[in-house]
Amino acid sequence: MRLVHAIEAECRARPTSSLDLRATPSTLTSLADRLERDGYLERRHPTDRRTVVLVLTPTGKRDYAAEKSFHRHLIDDSLDPLDASAREHVLAALAGLAQSQSADRA
Protein backbone atom coordinates (compact mmCIF):
# COMPACT_ATOMS: atom_id res chain seq x y z
CA MET A 1 0.00 0.00 0.00
CA ARG A 2 2.99 2.32 0.42
CA LEU A 3 3.41 2.39 -3.35
CA VAL A 4 -0.25 3.29 -3.81
CA HIS A 5 -0.02 6.05 -1.23
CA ALA A 6 3.16 7.40 -2.80
CA ILE A 7 1.54 7.47 -6.25
CA GLU A 8 -1.56 9.18 -4.88
CA ALA A 9 0.57 11.79 -3.07
CA GLU A 10 2.52 12.47 -6.25
CA CYS A 11 -0.69 12.87 -8.24
CA ARG A 12 -2.10 15.29 -5.68
CA ALA A 13 1.14 17.28 -5.71
CA ARG A 14 1.12 17.42 -9.51
CA PRO A 15 -2.51 17.57 -10.62
CA THR A 16 -1.44 18.09 -14.23
CA SER A 17 0.82 15.04 -14.19
CA SER A 18 1.24 13.42 -17.58
CA LEU A 19 0.18 10.16 -15.96
CA ASP A 20 -2.78 11.76 -14.22
CA LEU A 21 -3.75 8.44 -12.66
CA ARG A 22 -6.41 9.69 -10.26
CA ALA A 23 -6.97 6.05 -9.38
CA THR A 24 -8.15 4.65 -6.09
CA PRO A 25 -5.99 2.18 -4.17
CA SER A 26 -8.38 -0.62 -5.10
CA THR A 27 -8.11 0.27 -8.80
CA LEU A 28 -4.32 0.18 -8.66
CA THR A 29 -4.37 -3.06 -6.69
CA SER A 30 -6.74 -4.66 -9.22
CA LEU A 31 -4.53 -3.52 -12.09
CA ALA A 32 -1.42 -4.89 -10.36
CA ASP A 33 -3.27 -8.16 -9.66
CA ARG A 34 -4.17 -8.56 -13.34
CA LEU A 35 -0.65 -7.72 -14.54
CA GLU A 36 0.81 -10.15 -12.02
CA ARG A 37 -1.70 -12.89 -12.95
CA ASP A 38 -0.88 -12.41 -16.65
CA GLY A 39 2.85 -12.68 -15.98
CA TYR A 40 3.85 -9.07 -16.67
CA LEU A 41 5.01 -8.08 -13.20
CA GLU A 42 5.76 -9.44 -9.80
CA ARG A 43 5.55 -7.96 -6.36
CA ARG A 44 8.64 -8.16 -4.22
CA HIS A 45 10.94 -6.39 -1.86
CA PRO A 46 14.37 -7.76 -1.02
CA THR A 47 14.20 -7.12 2.75
CA ASP A 48 10.79 -5.79 3.81
CA ARG A 49 7.78 -8.03 3.24
CA ARG A 50 5.43 -5.17 4.19
CA THR A 51 6.64 -3.04 1.28
CA VAL A 52 5.35 -3.71 -2.22
CA VAL A 53 7.69 -3.15 -5.14
CA LEU A 54 6.35 -3.86 -8.60
CA VAL A 55 8.95 -5.30 -10.98
CA LEU A 56 8.48 -6.15 -14.63
CA THR A 57 9.06 -9.80 -15.41
CA PRO A 58 11.04 -10.82 -18.51
CA THR A 59 7.67 -11.17 -20.29
CA GLY A 60 6.66 -7.68 -19.13
CA LYS A 61 9.97 -6.21 -20.32
CA ARG A 62 9.66 -7.97 -23.69
CA ASP A 63 6.08 -6.83 -24.26
CA TYR A 64 6.86 -3.28 -23.09
CA ALA A 65 9.75 -3.12 -25.58
CA ALA A 66 7.45 -4.44 -28.32
CA GLU A 67 4.81 -1.79 -27.56
CA LYS A 68 7.44 0.94 -27.48
CA SER A 69 8.80 -0.25 -30.84
CA PHE A 70 5.29 -0.41 -32.30
CA HIS A 71 4.58 3.19 -31.29
CA ARG A 72 7.97 4.34 -32.61
CA HIS A 73 7.19 2.71 -35.98
CA LEU A 74 3.71 4.22 -35.95
CA ILE A 75 5.20 7.69 -35.56
CA ASP A 76 7.85 7.03 -38.19
CA ASP A 77 5.26 5.69 -40.63
CA SER A 78 3.07 8.74 -40.02
CA LEU A 79 5.93 11.11 -40.80
CA ASP A 80 7.35 9.08 -43.70
CA PRO A 81 5.10 10.57 -46.43
CA LEU A 82 6.25 14.09 -45.51
CA ASP A 83 9.18 15.78 -47.17
CA ALA A 84 12.09 16.82 -44.97
CA SER A 85 10.83 20.39 -44.50
CA ALA A 86 7.31 19.33 -43.50
CA ARG A 87 8.74 16.67 -41.17
CA GLU A 88 10.91 19.31 -39.46
CA HIS A 89 7.88 21.57 -38.99
CA VAL A 90 5.79 18.78 -37.48
CA LEU A 91 8.59 17.70 -35.14
CA ALA A 92 9.24 21.32 -34.11
CA ALA A 93 5.53 21.82 -33.39
CA LEU A 94 5.40 18.64 -31.31
CA ALA A 95 8.54 19.64 -29.41
CA GLY A 96 6.99 23.06 -28.71
CA LEU A 97 3.80 21.41 -27.49
CA ALA A 98 5.72 19.06 -25.20
CA GLN A 99 7.78 21.96 -23.85
CA SER A 100 4.62 24.00 -23.24
CA GLN A 101 3.03 21.13 -21.32
CA SER A 102 6.20 20.67 -19.24
CA ALA A 103 6.20 24.38 -18.36
CA ASP A 104 2.54 24.19 -17.35
CA ARG A 105 3.36 21.34 -14.94
CA ALA A 106 6.28 23.16 -13.33
Side-chain angles (χ1 to χ4, degrees):
M1 291 309 287
R2 288 181 186 176
L3 173 65
V4 171
H5 295 300
I7 291 171
E8 287 177 332
E10 180 66 20
C11 286
R12 281 192 300 276
R14 294 177 33 197
T16 58
S17 165
S18 60
L19 292 176
D20 201 13
L21 295 174
R22 304 221 188 270
T24 64
S26 63
T27 299
L28 294 175
T29 299
S30 295
L31 176 59
D33 288 344
R34 280 195 311 271
L35 291 170
E36 185 178 32
R37 181 194 67 223
D38 293 343
Y40 293 108
L41 65 78
E42 59 185 35
R43 292 175 167 110
R44 65 176 174 192
H45 190 279
T47 59
D48 185 351
R49 293 172 47 115
R50 296 167 298 165
T51 301
V52 175
V53 176
L54 303 175
V55 179
L56 285 175
T57 63
T59 299
K61 289 177 184 177
R62 183 199 66 218
D63 287 2
Y64 172 76
E67 282 295 315
K68 188 174 179 181
S69 176
F70 169 77
H71 286 280
R72 178 80 253 159
H73 288 305
L74 186 65
I75 292 167
D76 290 344
D77 289 348
S78 297
L79 296 176
D80 193 44
L82 303 177
D83 64 33
S85 176
R87 190 176 299 119
E88 285 181 33
H89 281 82
V90 169
L91 292 174
L94 291 173
L97 180 61
Q99 188 175 31
S100 170
Q101 288 178 345
S102 293
D104 288 347
R105 279 182 244 150

